[in-house]
Amino acid sequence: SAQQPSLSSITRNLISGNASSLTLAGEGFGAANLIVKFVQSSDSIDTTTTVTPSSSTAASVAVPAAVYNNVTAGNVVTITVTNADGLESSGVNHTAIALPSGGTVTTSGNYRIHSFTSSGTFVNTLASLSVEYLVIAGGGAGGVGDAGANAYGGGGGAGGYRTNVTGQTSGASSSAEAALSISTGNKTVTVGAGGAGTSRDDTGGTGGGGSVFDEISAIGGGGVG
């Protein structure tokens, strides 16, 4: 006999403006032709897509472009499933979220890049977000020697360089940095300034400021006498 499907939970993120996949759990999905329906009235969304369940209790569905390109972050989307017997489940609500924000945002392939050239805030909306980072501290300033003695000041030290980008290592030929997963919420980004120079004889420059992203800190370069 035909089994009434039920949809008990939906996991993974439905992201406004970005493709993603959802994992569905329940019962009575059948073996094929499971219709997944997305409804959000204020965003004029009423869209279906058909998937093949991995079992009678589990399925994965790619969120249709008609959904993620139109849904507003913070709005609730009601999702139902209809099995091959034509029986529809009750709806489960899933809230759309925004992409992370902060800095100057660019993309490269599948990567979304947030660049900070001044201090600010990275707002993370995705739980346990895996990130690659490059954190560079401010360089130290050089010194001024004694012109009468033909003595010259040295150059300032470079700011610390830390990265976990695949195939790269941190400064001073350090070993590769570990993977980083960050929680949701506001993450303060500090961009260290370069050290202050000088124009007077026999005077040293100041050290550079440190840079910080989440738990990653890079130390500013030393000033030189």
PDB file of all heavy atoms in Angstrom, residues 77-113:
ATOM      1  N   VAL A  77      11.353  29.621   4.485  1.00  0.00           N
ATOM      2  CA  VAL A  77      10.883  28.862   3.329  1.00  0.00           C
ATOM      3  C   VAL A  77      10.258  27.566   3.844  1.00  0.00           C
ATOM      4  O   VAL A  77      10.851  26.857   4.658  1.00  0.00           O
ATOM      5  CB  VAL A  77      12.032  28.545   2.362  1.00  0.00           C
ATOM      6  CG1 VAL A  77      11.532  27.706   1.189  1.00  0.00           C
ATOM      7  CG2 VAL A  77      12.679  29.841   1.858  1.00  0.00           C
ATOM      8  N   THR A  78       9.038  27.263   3.384  1.00  0.00           N
ATOM      9  CA  THR A  78       8.373  26.015   3.761  1.00  0.00           C
ATOM     10  C   THR A  78       8.666  24.956   2.702  1.00  0.00           C
ATOM     11  O   THR A  78       8.444  25.176   1.507  1.00  0.00           O
ATOM     12  CB  THR A  78       6.865  26.216   3.897  1.00  0.00           C
ATOM     13  OG1 THR A  78       6.605  27.207   4.890  1.00  0.00           O
ATOM     14  CG2 THR A  78       6.180  24.919   4.311  1.00  0.00           C
ATOM     15  N   ILE A  79       9.164  23.802   3.168  1.00  0.00           N
ATOM     16  CA  ILE A  79       9.574  22.731   2.262  1.00  0.00           C
ATOM     17  C   ILE A  79       8.722  21.485   2.536  1.00  0.00           C
ATOM     18  O   ILE A  79       8.524  21.095   3.692  1.00  0.00           O
ATOM     19  CB  ILE A  79      11.067  22.409   2.443  1.00  0.00           C
ATOM     20  CG1 ILE A  79      11.905  23.676   2.126  1.00  0.00           C
ATOM     21  CG2 ILE A  79      11.501  21.250   1.560  1.00  0.00           C
ATOM     22  CD1 ILE A  79      13.374  23.530   2.436  1.00  0.00           C
ATOM     23  N   THR A  80       8.211  20.886   1.471  1.00  0.00           N
ATOM     24  CA  THR A  80       7.468  19.623   1.567  1.00  0.00           C
ATOM     25  C   THR A  80       8.059  18.627   0.569  1.00  0.00           C
ATOM     26  O   THR A  80       8.766  19.010  -0.373  1.00  0.00           O
ATOM     27  CB  THR A  80       5.973  19.808   1.267  1.00  0.00           C
ATOM     28  OG1 THR A  80       5.823  20.290  -0.080  1.00  0.00           O
ATOM     29  CG2 THR A  80       5.338  20.788   2.228  1.00  0.00           C
ATOM     30  N   VAL A  81       7.738  17.347   0.763  1.00  0.00           N
ATOM     31  CA  VAL A  81       8.126  16.325  -0.216  1.00  0.00           C
ATOM     32  C   VAL A  81       6.877  15.551  -0.631  1.00  0.00           C
ATOM     33  O   VAL A  81       5.962  15.315   0.163  1.00  0.00           O
ATOM     34  CB  VAL A  81       9.187  15.355   0.355  1.00  0.00           C
ATOM     35  CG1 VAL A  81      10.484  16.095   0.630  1.00  0.00           C
ATOM     36  CG2 VAL A  81       8.697  14.645   1.614  1.00  0.00           C
ATOM     37  N   THR A  82       6.855  15.156  -1.902  1.00  0.00           N
ATOM     38  CA  THR A  82       5.786  14.322  -2.446  1.00  0.00           C
ATOM     39  C   THR A  82       6.431  13.091  -3.056  1.00  0.00           C
ATOM     40  O   THR A  82       7.325  13.211  -3.913  1.00  0.00           O
ATOM     41  CB  THR A  82       4.984  15.075  -3.520  1.00  0.00           C
ATOM     42  OG1 THR A  82       4.405  16.253  -2.935  1.00  0.00           O
ATOM     43  CG2 THR A  82       3.888  14.200  -4.101  1.00  0.00           C
ATOM     44  N   ASN A  83       6.008  11.908  -2.604  1.00  0.00           N
ATOM     45  CA  ASN A  83       6.635  10.681  -3.108  1.00  0.00           C
ATOM     46  C   ASN A  83       5.997  10.229  -4.418  1.00  0.00           C
ATOM     47  O   ASN A  83       5.067  10.869  -4.941  1.00  0.00           O
ATOM     48  CB  ASN A  83       6.625   9.577  -2.048  1.00  0.00           C
ATOM     49  CG  ASN A  83       5.215   9.160  -1.633  1.00  0.00           C
ATOM     50  OD1 ASN A  83       4.238   9.416  -2.341  1.00  0.00           O
ATOM     51  ND2 ASN A  83       5.115   8.493  -0.490  1.00  0.00           N
ATOM     52  N   ALA A  84       6.501   9.121  -4.944  1.00  0.00           N
ATOM     53  CA  ALA A  84       6.048   8.640  -6.250  1.00  0.00           C
ATOM     54  C   ALA A  84       4.592   8.195  -6.231  1.00  0.00           C
ATOM     55  O   ALA A  84       3.967   8.038  -7.296  1.00  0.00           O
ATOM     56  CB  ALA A  84       6.942   7.499  -6.718  1.00  0.00           C
ATOM     57  N   ASP A  85       4.028   8.001  -5.045  1.00  0.00           N
ATOM     58  CA  ASP A  85       2.610   7.648  -4.933  1.00  0.00           C
ATOM     59  C   ASP A  85       1.710   8.881  -4.967  1.00  0.00           C
ATOM     60  O   ASP A  85       0.482   8.757  -4.860  1.00  0.00           O
ATOM     61  CB  ASP A  85       2.358   6.873  -3.634  1.00  0.00           C
ATOM     62  CG  ASP A  85       3.052   5.519  -3.632  1.00  0.00           C
ATOM     63  OD1 ASP A  85       2.986   4.822  -4.665  1.00  0.00           O
ATOM     64  OD2 ASP A  85       3.667   5.171  -2.612  1.00  0.00           O
ATOM     65  N   GLY A  86       2.322  10.077  -5.080  1.00  0.00           N
ATOM     66  CA  GLY A  86       1.555  11.312  -5.140  1.00  0.00           C
ATOM     67  C   GLY A  86       1.105  11.830  -3.796  1.00  0.00           C
ATOM     68  O   GLY A  86       0.252  12.734  -3.734  1.00  0.00           O
ATOM     69  N   LEU A  87       1.672  11.303  -2.713  1.00  0.00           N
ATOM     70  CA  LEU A  87       1.297  11.737  -1.367  1.00  0.00           C
ATOM     71  C   LEU A  87       2.310  12.763  -0.861  1.00  0.00           C
ATOM     72  O   LEU A  87       3.531  12.572  -0.991  1.00  0.00           O
ATOM     73  CB  LEU A  87       1.233  10.542  -0.420  1.00  0.00           C
ATOM     74  CG  LEU A  87       0.232   9.445  -0.820  1.00  0.00           C
ATOM     75  CD1 LEU A  87       0.338   8.265   0.125  1.00  0.00           C
ATOM     76  CD2 LEU A  87      -1.184  10.014  -0.847  1.00  0.00           C
ATOM     77  N   GLU A  88       1.802  13.846  -0.275  1.00  0.00           N
ATOM     78  CA  GLU A  88       2.656  14.964   0.149  1.00  0.00           C
ATOM     79  C   GLU A  88       2.778  15.014   1.664  1.00  0.00           C
ATOM     80  O   GLU A  88       1.811  14.792   2.403  1.00  0.00           O
ATOM     81  CB  GLU A  88       2.098  16.290  -0.370  1.00  0.00           C
ATOM     82  CG  GLU A  88       3.004  17.494  -0.085  1.00  0.00           C
ATOM     83  CD  GLU A  88       2.479  18.781  -0.709  1.00  0.00           C
ATOM     84  OE1 GLU A  88       1.278  18.822  -1.079  1.00  0.00           O
ATOM     85  OE2 GLU A  88       3.258  19.742  -0.828  1.00  0.00           O
ATOM     86  N   SER A  89       3.962  15.349   2.133  1.00  0.00           N
ATOM     87  CA  SER A  89       4.222  15.479   3.566  1.00  0.00           C
ATOM     88  C   SER A  89       3.743  16.825   4.083  1.00  0.00           C
ATOM     89  O   SER A  89       3.408  17.736   3.304  1.00  0.00           O
ATOM     90  CB  SER A  89       5.727  15.364   3.839  1.00  0.00           C
ATOM     91  OG  SER A  89       6.408  16.524   3.378  1.00  0.00           O
ATOM     92  N   SER A  90       3.740  16.954   5.390  1.00  0.00           N
ATOM     93  CA  SER A  90       3.560  18.274   5.994  1.00  0.00           C
ATOM     94  C   SER A  90       4.826  19.104   5.753  1.00  0.00           C
ATOM     95  O   SER A  90       5.898  18.558   5.485  1.00  0.00           O
ATOM     96  CB  SER A  90       3.308  18.137   7.499  1.00  0.00           C
ATOM     97  OG  SER A  90       2.119  17.403   7.746  1.00  0.00           O
ATOM     98  N   GLY A  91       4.691  20.419   5.854  1.00  0.00           N
ATOM     99  CA  GLY A  91       5.821  21.299   5.589  1.00  0.00           C
ATOM    100  C   GLY A  91       6.744  21.464   6.785  1.00  0.00           C
ATOM    101  O   GLY A  91       6.315  21.398   7.942  1.00  0.00           O
ATOM    102  N   VAL A  92       8.010  21.660   6.486  1.00  0.00           N
ATOM    103  CA  VAL A  92       9.018  22.000   7.490  1.00  0.00           C
ATOM    104  C   VAL A  92       9.606  23.346   7.102  1.00  0.00           C
ATOM    105  O   VAL A  92       9.974  23.570   5.932  1.00  0.00           O
ATOM    106  CB  VAL A  92      10.120  20.929   7.578  1.00  0.00           C
ATOM    107  CG1 VAL A  92      11.264  21.387   8.477  1.00  0.00           C
ATOM    108  CG2 VAL A  92       9.540  19.615   8.083  1.00  0.00           C
ATOM    109  N   ASN A  93       9.698  24.257   8.061  1.00  0.00           N
ATOM    110  CA  ASN A  93      10.218  25.595   7.794  1.00  0.00           C
ATOM    111  C   ASN A  93      11.743  25.627   7.910  1.00  0.00           C
ATOM    112  O   ASN A  93      12.323  25.031   8.824  1.00  0.00           O
ATOM    113  CB  ASN A  93       9.621  26.611   8.761  1.00  0.00           C
ATOM    114  CG  ASN A  93       8.141  26.836   8.514  1.00  0.00           C
ATOM    115  OD1 ASN A  93       7.654  26.646   7.398  1.00  0.00           O
ATOM    116  ND2 ASN A  93       7.422  27.242   9.550  1.00  0.00           N
ATOM    117  N   HIS A  94      12.370  26.336   6.978  1.00  0.00           N
ATOM    118  CA  HIS A  94      13.829  26.478   6.968  1.00  0.00           C
ATOM    119  C   HIS A  94      14.136  27.935   6.651  1.00  0.00           C
ATOM    120  O   HIS A  94      13.676  28.458   5.637  1.00  0.00           O
ATOM    121  CB  HIS A  94      14.438  25.546   5.916  1.00  0.00           C
ATOM    122  CG  HIS A  94      15.857  25.168   6.176  1.00  0.00           C
ATOM    123  ND1 HIS A  94      16.283  24.571   7.342  1.00  0.00           N
ATOM    124  CD2 HIS A  94      16.971  25.303   5.404  1.00  0.00           C
ATOM    125  CE1 HIS A  94      17.586  24.336   7.281  1.00  0.00           C
ATOM    126  NE2 HIS A  94      18.029  24.780   6.111  1.00  0.00           N
ATOM    127  N   THR A  95      14.910  28.595   7.511  1.00  0.00           N
ATOM    128  CA  THR A  95      15.176  30.031   7.361  1.00  0.00           C
ATOM    129  C   THR A  95      16.384  30.273   6.467  1.00  0.00           C
ATOM    130  O   THR A  95      17.449  29.675   6.659  1.00  0.00           O
ATOM    131  CB  THR A  95      15.418  30.681   8.730  1.00  0.00           C
ATOM    132  OG1 THR A  95      14.271  30.461   9.555  1.00  0.00           O
ATOM    133  CG2 THR A  95      15.655  32.175   8.594  1.00  0.00           C
ATOM    134  N   ALA A  96      16.213  31.150   5.487  1.00  0.00           N
ATOM    135  CA  ALA A  96      17.318  31.520   4.604  1.00  0.00           C
ATOM    136  C   ALA A  96      18.280  32.444   5.343  1.00  0.00           C
ATOM    137  O   ALA A  96      17.861  33.301   6.129  1.00  0.00           O
ATOM    138  CB  ALA A  96      16.785  32.214   3.354  1.00  0.00           C
ATOM    139  N   ILE A  97      19.564  32.263   5.101  1.00  0.00           N
ATOM    140  CA  ILE A  97      20.569  33.110   5.731  1.00  0.00           C
ATOM    141  C   ILE A  97      21.359  33.866   4.667  1.00  0.00           C
ATOM    142  O   ILE A  97      21.359  33.494   3.487  1.00  0.00           O
ATOM    143  CB  ILE A  97      21.527  32.295   6.620  1.00  0.00           C
ATOM    144  CG1 ILE A  97      22.318  31.292   5.772  1.00  0.00           C
ATOM    145  CG2 ILE A  97      20.767  31.575   7.724  1.00  0.00           C
ATOM    146  CD1 ILE A  97      23.394  30.567   6.557  1.00  0.00           C
ATOM    147  N   ALA A  98      22.023  34.928   5.098  1.00  0.00           N
ATOM    148  CA  ALA A  98      22.860  35.713   4.193  1.00  0.00           C
ATOM    149  C   ALA A  98      24.268  35.126   4.144  1.00  0.00           C
ATOM    150  O   ALA A  98      24.690  34.383   5.031  1.00  0.00           O
ATOM    151  CB  ALA A  98      22.929  37.157   4.672  1.00  0.00           C
ATOM    152  N   LEU A  99      24.993  35.451   3.114  1.00  0.00           N
ATOM    153  CA  LEU A  99      26.404  35.106   3.045  1.00  0.00           C
ATOM    154  C   LEU A  99      27.196  35.940   4.049  1.00  0.00           C
ATOM    155  O   LEU A  99      26.755  37.020   4.456  1.00  0.00           O
ATOM    156  CB  LEU A  99      26.940  35.354   1.637  1.00  0.00           C
ATOM    157  CG  LEU A  99      26.541  34.336   0.563  1.00  0.00           C
ATOM    158  CD1 LEU A  99      26.840  34.900  -0.816  1.00  0.00           C
ATOM    159  CD2 LEU A  99      27.278  33.021   0.770  1.00  0.00           C
ATOM    160  N   PRO A 100      28.371  35.474   4.465  1.00  0.00           N
ATOM    161  CA  PRO A 100      29.226  36.310   5.317  1.00  0.00           C
ATOM    162  C   PRO A 100      29.529  37.644   4.642  1.00  0.00           C
ATOM    163  O   PRO A 100      29.499  37.766   3.409  1.00  0.00           O
ATOM    164  CB  PRO A 100      30.496  35.456   5.473  1.00  0.00           C
ATOM    165  CG  PRO A 100      30.034  34.054   5.280  1.00  0.00           C
ATOM    166  CD  PRO A 100      28.959  34.145   4.236  1.00  0.00           C
ATOM    167  N   SER A 101      29.830  38.654   5.463  1.00  0.00           N
ATOM    168  CA  SER A 101      30.098  39.987   4.925  1.00  0.00           C
ATOM    169  C   SER A 101      31.301  40.608   5.641  1.00  0.00           C
ATOM    170  O   SER A 101      31.722  40.147   6.697  1.00  0.00           O
ATOM    171  CB  SER A 101      28.865  40.890   5.077  1.00  0.00           C
ATOM    172  OG  SER A 101      28.527  41.030   6.455  1.00  0.00           O
ATOM    173  N   GLY A 102      31.798  41.678   5.048  1.00  0.00           N
ATOM    174  CA  GLY A 102      32.911  42.412   5.635  1.00  0.00           C
ATOM    175  C   GLY A 102      34.067  42.538   4.669  1.00  0.00           C
ATOM    176  O   GLY A 102      34.368  41.622   3.907  1.00  0.00           O
ATOM    177  N   GLY A 103      34.727  43.703   4.689  1.00  0.00           N
ATOM    178  CA  GLY A 103      35.842  43.945   3.788  1.00  0.00           C
ATOM    179  C   GLY A 103      35.373  44.138   2.363  1.00  0.00           C
ATOM    180  O   GLY A 103      34.195  44.330   2.075  1.00  0.00           O
ATOM    181  N   THR A 104      36.322  44.084   1.438  1.00  0.00           N
ATOM    182  CA  THR A 104      36.009  44.136   0.010  1.00  0.00           C
ATOM    183  C   THR A 104      35.851  42.709  -0.491  1.00  0.00           C
ATOM    184  O   THR A 104      36.760  41.892  -0.370  1.00  0.00           O
ATOM    185  CB  THR A 104      37.138  44.840  -0.765  1.00  0.00           C
ATOM    186  OG1 THR A 104      37.266  46.185  -0.289  1.00  0.00           O
ATOM    187  CG2 THR A 104      36.835  44.867  -2.250  1.00  0.00           C
ATOM    188  N   VAL A 105      34.671  42.396  -1.031  1.00  0.00           N
ATOM    189  CA  VAL A 105      34.353  41.018  -1.408  1.00  0.00           C
ATOM    190  C   VAL A 105      34.574  40.823  -2.904  1.00  0.00           C
ATOM    191  O   VAL A 105      34.045  41.567  -3.729  1.00  0.00           O
ATOM    192  CB  VAL A 105      32.902  40.670  -1.036  1.00  0.00           C
ATOM    193  CG1 VAL A 105      32.583  39.236  -1.443  1.00  0.00           C
ATOM    194  CG2 VAL A 105      32.665  40.863   0.455  1.00  0.00           C
ATOM    195  N   THR A 106      35.364  39.807  -3.236  1.00  0.00           N
ATOM    196  CA  THR A 106      35.568  39.395  -4.626  1.00  0.00           C
ATOM    197  C   THR A 106      35.420  37.875  -4.682  1.00  0.00           C
ATOM    198  O   THR A 106      35.341  37.205  -3.655  1.00  0.00           O
ATOM    199  CB  THR A 106      36.956  39.803  -5.149  1.00  0.00           C
ATOM    200  OG1 THR A 106      37.967  39.265  -4.278  1.00  0.00           O
ATOM    201  CG2 THR A 106      37.103  41.318  -5.197  1.00  0.00           C
ATOM    202  N   THR A 107      35.382  37.333  -5.884  1.00  0.00           N
ATOM    203  CA  THR A 107      35.313  35.884  -6.041  1.00  0.00           C
ATOM    204  C   THR A 107      36.389  35.419  -7.004  1.00  0.00           C
ATOM    205  O   THR A 107      36.813  36.155  -7.897  1.00  0.00           O
ATOM    206  CB  THR A 107      33.935  35.428  -6.565  1.00  0.00           C
ATOM    207  OG1 THR A 107      33.672  36.069  -7.820  1.00  0.00           O
ATOM    208  CG2 THR A 107      32.837  35.768  -5.582  1.00  0.00           C
ATOM    209  N   SER A 108      36.825  34.178  -6.804  1.00  0.00           N
ATOM    210  CA  SER A 108      37.776  33.533  -7.704  1.00  0.00           C
ATOM    211  C   SER A 108      37.424  32.055  -7.742  1.00  0.00           C
ATOM    212  O   SER A 108      37.624  31.339  -6.757  1.00  0.00           O
ATOM    213  CB  SER A 108      39.214  33.728  -7.215  1.00  0.00           C
ATOM    214  OG  SER A 108      40.135  33.049  -8.059  1.00  0.00           O
ATOM    215  N   GLY A 109      36.864  31.604  -8.873  1.00  0.00           N
ATOM    216  CA  GLY A 109      36.395  30.226  -8.937  1.00  0.00           C
ATOM    217  C   GLY A 109      35.317  30.001  -7.891  1.00  0.00           C
ATOM    218  O   GLY A 109      34.338  30.744  -7.818  1.00  0.00           O
ATOM    219  N   ASN A 110      35.507  28.983  -7.050  1.00  0.00           N
ATOM    220  CA  ASN A 110      34.546  28.683  -5.985  1.00  0.00           C
ATOM    221  C   ASN A 110      34.850  29.429  -4.696  1.00  0.00           C
ATOM    222  O   ASN A 110      34.173  29.218  -3.693  1.00  0.00           O
ATOM    223  CB  ASN A 110      34.526  27.176  -5.706  1.00  0.00           C
ATOM    224  CG  ASN A 110      33.932  26.387  -6.859  1.00  0.00           C
ATOM    225  OD1 ASN A 110      33.045  26.868  -7.546  1.00  0.00           O
ATOM    226  ND2 ASN A 110      34.442  25.182  -7.084  1.00  0.00           N
ATOM    227  N   TYR A 111      35.870  30.283  -4.718  1.00  0.00           N
ATOM    228  CA  TYR A 111      36.259  30.996  -3.504  1.00  0.00           C
ATOM    229  C   TYR A 111      35.610  32.374  -3.437  1.00  0.00           C
ATOM    230  O   TYR A 111      35.539  33.093  -4.433  1.00  0.00           O
ATOM    231  CB  TYR A 111      37.781  31.173  -3.447  1.00  0.00           C
ATOM    232  CG  TYR A 111      38.524  29.923  -3.050  1.00  0.00           C
ATOM    233  CD1 TYR A 111      38.862  28.969  -4.001  1.00  0.00           C
ATOM    234  CD2 TYR A 111      38.881  29.696  -1.726  1.00  0.00           C
ATOM    235  CE1 TYR A 111      39.537  27.821  -3.646  1.00  0.00           C
ATOM    236  CE2 TYR A 111      39.563  28.550  -1.359  1.00  0.00           C
ATOM    237  CZ  TYR A 111      39.885  27.607  -2.323  1.00  0.00           C
ATOM    238  OH  TYR A 111      40.552  26.471  -1.967  1.00  0.00           O
ATOM    239  N   ARG A 112      35.162  32.735  -2.246  1.00  0.00           N
ATOM    240  CA  ARG A 112      34.662  34.075  -1.945  1.00  0.00           C
ATOM    241  C   ARG A 112      35.707  34.720  -1.034  1.00  0.00           C
ATOM    242  O   ARG A 112      36.028  34.193   0.032  1.00  0.00           O
ATOM    243  CB  ARG A 112      33.299  33.987  -1.255  1.00  0.00           C
ATOM    244  CG  ARG A 112      32.673  35.324  -0.878  1.00  0.00           C
ATOM    245  CD  ARG A 112      31.296  35.080  -0.248  1.00  0.00           C
ATOM    246  NE  ARG A 112      30.746  36.255   0.373  1.00  0.00           N
ATOM    247  CZ  ARG A 112      29.961  37.131  -0.242  1.00  0.00           C
ATOM    248  NH1 ARG A 112      29.650  36.955  -1.515  1.00  0.00           N
ATOM    249  NH2 ARG A 112      29.464  38.181   0.406  1.00  0.00           N
ATOM    250  N   ILE A 113      36.256  35.848  -1.457  1.00  0.00           N
ATOM    251  CA  ILE A 113      37.413  36.448  -0.799  1.00  0.00           C
ATOM    252  C   ILE A 113      37.005  37.763  -0.140  1.00  0.00           C
ATOM    253  O   ILE A 113      36.404  38.632  -0.784  1.00  0.00           O
ATOM    254  CB  ILE A 113      38.538  36.710  -1.822  1.00  0.00           C
ATOM    255  CG1 ILE A 113      38.913  35.391  -2.525  1.00  0.00           C
ATOM    256  CG2 ILE A 113      39.751  37.331  -1.143  1.00  0.00           C
ATOM    257  CD1 ILE A 113      39.753  35.597  -3.767  1.00  0.00           C
TER     258      ILE A 113
END
